């Protein structure tokens, strides 16, 4: 049976992790990451904030320390740089206080696949996918040994929509969803909760990276609404949380259809429709 972490209690566990573990959040200087920081601080969690912009993190940390009394550490890091990434990985491996990882750091680039430069695409894949894997890998063994903890991975509904046209970005987010589902399957029995959060259009600075003015768009979710909804899913221990999806049965049907075909993949012979030449 999977152990559920009661994030509202301060009772000490038999291991080194308390019932209110510290939370490490990447991309924590603004937007979704900063809002996660505020929400977890108000729940009484100490924080480790990771981002490039120290001034923004210092301002956020100063305010939250004053308002909530939690301990907040700041780690300046460009996660696309090997040395910076290694420092954060070490922190996740060695700091037993950290029991929740929010893998939020990510970016986007504008243009179509044919217009995007290969170096830009490579950096996009590195930050949105490779970094996420490495940080999850750094903390997962310790959480599994403790039999407690959580990994939250920020994906996107774009990962379900190749028709949207944001091919490389969407592919990275599809990767994040698959990784989260696979980790949930592997780590859930060991007591580690893994959540994939799939926002749709949300009012963050990522649109600036893609060269899009978010103020010209309609039907955009505010960051606070997104994170509050994601935390409802977190508290319910949902494996996949899609805040903009009003009819949950649609996701259940999609996921159910995926599971229904699994048993059909083990046939030794090609399907009949492929045995007849055109």
């Amino acid at each position: 049976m999977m152990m559920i972490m009661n994030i509202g209690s301060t009772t000490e566990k038999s291991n080194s992790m308390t019932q209110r573990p510290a939370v490490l959040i990447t991309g924590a200087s603004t937007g979704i990451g900063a809002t996660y920081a505020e929400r977890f601080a108000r729940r009484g969690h100490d924080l480790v904030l990771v981002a490039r912009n120290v001034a923004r993190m210092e301002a956020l940390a100063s305010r939250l320390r004053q308002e909530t009394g939690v301990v907040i550490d700041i780690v300046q890091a460009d996660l696309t740089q090997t040395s910076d990434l290694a420092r954060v990985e070490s922190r996740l491996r060695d700091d037993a206080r950290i029991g929740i990882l929010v893998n939020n750091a990510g970016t986007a680039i504008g243009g179509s696949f044919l217009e995007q430069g290969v170096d830009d695409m490579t950096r996009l894949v590195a930050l949105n996918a490779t970094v996420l894997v490495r940080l999850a890998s750094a903390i997962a063994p310790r959480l599994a040994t403790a039999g407690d903890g959580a990994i939250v991975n920020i994906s996107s509904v774009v990962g379900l929509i190749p028709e949207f046209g944001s091919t490389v970005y969407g592919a990275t987010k599809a990767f994040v969803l698959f990784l989260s589902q696979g980790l949930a399957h592997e780590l859930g029995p060991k007591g580690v909760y893994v959540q994939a959060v799939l926002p749709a259009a949300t009012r963050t600075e990522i649109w600036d990276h893609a060269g899009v003015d978010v103020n010209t768009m309609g039907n955009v979710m505010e960051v606070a609404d997104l994170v509050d909804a994601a935390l409802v899913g977190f508290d319910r221990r949902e494996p996949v949380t899609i805040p903009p999806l009003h009819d949950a049965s649609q996701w259940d049907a999609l996921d159910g259809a995926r599971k229904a075909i699994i048993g059909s993949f083990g046939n030794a012979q090609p399907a009949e429709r492929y045995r007849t030449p055109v």
Side-chain angles (χ1 to χ4, degrees):
M1 180 181 298
M2 188 167 91
M3 296 173 60
I4 301 299
M5 179 172 58
N6 178 4
I7 63 174
S9 170
T10 57
T11 305
E12 293 287 335
K13 293 177 68 69
S14 58
N15 57 39
S16 60
M17 193 183 305
T18 69
Q19 293 283 59
R20 278 193 184 141
V23 184
L24 187 144
I25 304 167
T26 65
S29 63
T30 187
I32 293 171
T35 304
Y36 262 110
E38 178 154 354
R39 298 302 189 262
F40 273 118
R42 297 196 184 285
R43 291 179 173 212
H45 294 264
D46 293 339
L47 304 174
V48 180
L49 306 182
V50 178
R52 291 179 299 175
N53 193 316
V54 173
R56 281 182 168 181
M57 287 192 292
E58 288 284 8
L60 175 64
S62 177
R63 177 172 62 83
L64 292 179
R65 290 183 188 114
Q66 205 168 38
E67 294 175 357
T68 68
V70 301
V71 175
I72 303 176
D73 296 341
I74 290 174
V75 178
Q76 182 182 24
D78 178 347
L79 295 175
T80 64
Q81 299 300 310
T82 302
S83 58
D84 287 4
L85 177 58
R87 284 192 294 110
V88 180
E89 289 176 303
S90 295
R91 184 68 181 265
L92 287 169
R93 280 193 296 265
D94 300 337
D95 190 343
R97 298 178 307 134
I98 300 172
I100 300 173
L101 166 64
V102 179
N103 259 323
N104 166 70
T107 191
I109 53 178
S112 69
F113 183 80
L114 295 177
E115 297 167 335
Q116 293 169 350
V118 68
D119 290 340
D120 290 337
M121 289 190 284
T122 300
R123 282 191 292 269
L124 178 72
V125 173
L127 183 58
N128 288 11
T130 305
V131 165
L132 185 145
V133 172
R134 291 183 63 114
L135 296 184
S137 178
I139 195 174
R142 183 169 57 76
L143 298 185
T145 298
D148 201 1
I151 299 171
V152 178
N153 295 323
I154 306 301
S155 179
S156 170
V157 298
V158 178
L160 301 172
I161 314 171
E163 296 83 359
F164 190 76
S166 189
T167 302
V168 180
Y169 175 81
T172 66
K173 294 305 183 177
F175 175 88
V176 172
L177 174 60
F178 187 104
L179 180 76
S180 301
Q181 292 173 301
L183 289 177
H185 181 73
E186 290 191 41
L187 300 179
K190 301 181 184 299
V192 182
Y193 166 57
V194 181
Q195 179 193 29
V197 178
L198 279 63
T202 306
R203 196 177 304 280
T204 70
E205 293 181 3
I206 197 170
W207 296 103
D208 296 335
H209 304 162
V212 176
D213 183 357
V214 69
N215 296 313
T216 65
M217 301 168 55
N219 211 21
V220 177
M221 188 175 291
E222 299 299 327
V223 174
D225 292 335
L226 171 76
V227 174
D228 288 341
L231 285 170
V232 171
F234 180 91
D235 292 339
R236 292 174 178 170
R237 291 305 188 256
E238 288 183 349
V240 178
T241 299
I242 311 178
L245 182 64
H246 290 262
D247 184 354
S249 68
Q250 292 180 310
W251 168 256
D252 293 338
L254 177 63
D255 200 43
R258 178 188 64 80
K259 292 175 180 175
I261 66 172
I262 292 174
S264 301
F265 292 148
N267 296 314
Q269 298 296 323
E272 183 63 35
R273 67 184 179 280
Y274 296 123
R275 297 185 203 175
T276 304
V278 176

